[in-house]
């Protein structure tokens, strides 16, 4: 887990939104390193245990106002478990929190992708942030614009509150770039807790990153495989 010094350490709770961003629990495709993208894959048994563990952790902390979730099943199932553990708060589904669309790579095993769809695989590995992935896939810039706008929208609605957002590894990496553009996020593990403070004046602060201390009794993938060029 990484801790970050706050650029708004003197700011009162009433002046910022605390957004707890959770990566969904594990799926069988995470475990087998199959590229998911926006395909709708369910949690596996380990993922359901992880969702319960993060839900229990959050139920013991500061009150949550609402849970936002990607509309993909692996995120929704994680979000609903958290919401149930935290007193039955509302789950609001938001398609802008979806994973990056990986075009022709979706559904392929990572180790087979270069052979089966070489053009799309090269696009995935490209350092060009505007490089779209063939087959309807998004560029990093498209993902970045979509999910950072969503977090700003959510933050502006919940100043002075704590909310949860359940999303995906690619989204979390894009949010990290927005908050800390000179640093690298490293692996983004399933069911990890990542806390952002958003304050007036467009200030983003990462308060905690990659915390999986609540998973000490639960299995998790050390690689953080999520199917993009920076994961596992």
């Amino acid at each position: 887990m990484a801790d970050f010094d706050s650029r708004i350490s003197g700011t009162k709770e009433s002046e910022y939104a605390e957004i707890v961003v959770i990566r969904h629990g594990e799926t069988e495709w995470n475990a087998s390193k199959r590229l998911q993208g926006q395909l709708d894959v369910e949690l596996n048994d380990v993922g359901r245990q992880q969702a319960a563990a993060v839900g229990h952790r959050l139920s013991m902390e500061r009150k949550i106002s609402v849970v936002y979730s990607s509309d993909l099943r692996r995120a929704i199932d994680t979000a609903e478990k958290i919401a149930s553990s935290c007193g039955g708060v509302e789950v609001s589904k938001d398609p802008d929190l979806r994973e990056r669309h990986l075009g022709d790579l979706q559904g392929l095993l990572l180790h087979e992708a270069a052979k089966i769809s070489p053009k799309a695989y090269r696009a995935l590995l490209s350092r060009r942030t505007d490089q779209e992935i063939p087959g309807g896939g998004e560029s990093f810039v498209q993902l970045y614009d979509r999910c950072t706008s969503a977090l700003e929208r959510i933050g502006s609605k919940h100043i002075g509150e704590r909310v949860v957002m359940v999303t995906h590894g690619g989204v979390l990496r894009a949010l990290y770039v927005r908050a800390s553009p000179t640093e690298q996020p490293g692996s983004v593990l399933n069911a990890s807790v990542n806390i952002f403070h958003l304050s007036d004046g467009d200030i983003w602060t990462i308060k905690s990153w990659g915390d999986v201390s609540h998973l000490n009794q639960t299995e998790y993938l050390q690689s953080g495989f999520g199917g993009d060029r920076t994961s596992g």
Side-chain angles (χ1 to χ4, degrees):
M1 177 185 71
D3 290 313
F4 294 78
D5 291 331
S6 175
R7 289 174 289 169
I8 53 174
S9 57
T11 306
K12 298 177 182 178
E13 283 185 359
S14 61
E15 297 176 350
Y16 62 83
E18 181 167 85
I19 306 179
V20 183
V21 187
I22 310 291
R23 186 183 173 200
H24 63 81
E26 183 183 307
T27 70
E28 286 301 325
W29 285 25
N30 290 144
S32 63
K33 295 194 174 184
R34 189 177 294 274
L35 297 160
Q36 295 176 128
Q38 294 188 3
L39 296 182
D40 213 5
V41 183
E42 296 183 348
L43 299 179
N44 61 14
D45 288 342
V46 170
R48 285 185 280 274
Q49 293 171 23
Q50 292 171 340
V54 71
H56 175 72
R57 171 198 170 144
L58 294 175
S59 73
M60 307 295 288
E61 298 179 352
R62 181 184 167 196
K63 181 180 178 182
I64 291 166
S65 298
V66 63
V67 178
Y68 288 90
S69 177
S70 157
D71 61 349
L72 297 177
R73 176 50 56 188
R74 56 194 184 272
I76 293 171
D77 287 350
T78 304
E80 289 179 344
K81 178 61 71 173
I82 292 169
S84 176
S85 298
C86 294
V89 297
E90 175 190 1
V91 175
S92 179
K93 300 171 189 175
D94 189 338
D96 285 341
L97 303 181
R98 284 186 174 194
E99 181 61 283
R100 181 181 179 182
H101 196 299
L102 296 178
D104 290 337
L105 298 175
Q106 296 190 154
L108 300 182
L109 289 168
L110 182 61
H111 73 272
E112 297 176 346
K115 181 178 180 180
I116 294 173
S117 192
K119 186 175 180 181
Y121 187 72
R122 287 195 299 271
L124 178 68
L125 298 182
S126 174
R127 295 290 171 178
R128 284 183 48 195
T129 58
D130 63 347
Q131 175 65 63
E132 297 179 12
I133 300 175
E138 292 177 289
S139 68
F140 178 79
V141 167
Q142 290 170 327
L143 169 68
Y144 178 94
D145 289 346
R146 167 165 62 81
C147 64
T148 57
S149 295
L151 196 69
E152 287 173 352
R153 169 167 38 84
I154 291 168
S156 67
K157 290 174 60 178
H158 295 285
I159 298 295
E161 301 176 38
R162 189 182 216 219
V163 302
V164 167
M165 189 175 99
V166 182
T167 186
H168 306 267
V171 171
L172 267 156
R173 292 182 187 90
L175 297 178
Y176 189 100
V177 169
R178 168 63 179 80
S180 187
T182 63
E183 305 292 334
Q184 292 295 321
S187 296
V188 180
L189 302 180
N190 291 107
S192 59
V193 170
N194 311 275
I195 301 176
F196 292 77
H197 284 182
L198 274 63
S199 68
D200 291 337
D202 198 32
I203 298 174
W204 289 37
T205 302
I206 300 173
K207 294 295 295 182
S208 180
W209 184 260
D211 185 354
V212 290
S213 58
H214 50 284
L215 300 182
N216 59 348
Q217 301 297 319
T218 307
E219 297 178 43
Y220 61 91
L221 295 171
Q222 295 281 355
S223 70
F225 178 75
D228 67 14
R229 64 178 173 78
T230 62
S231 67

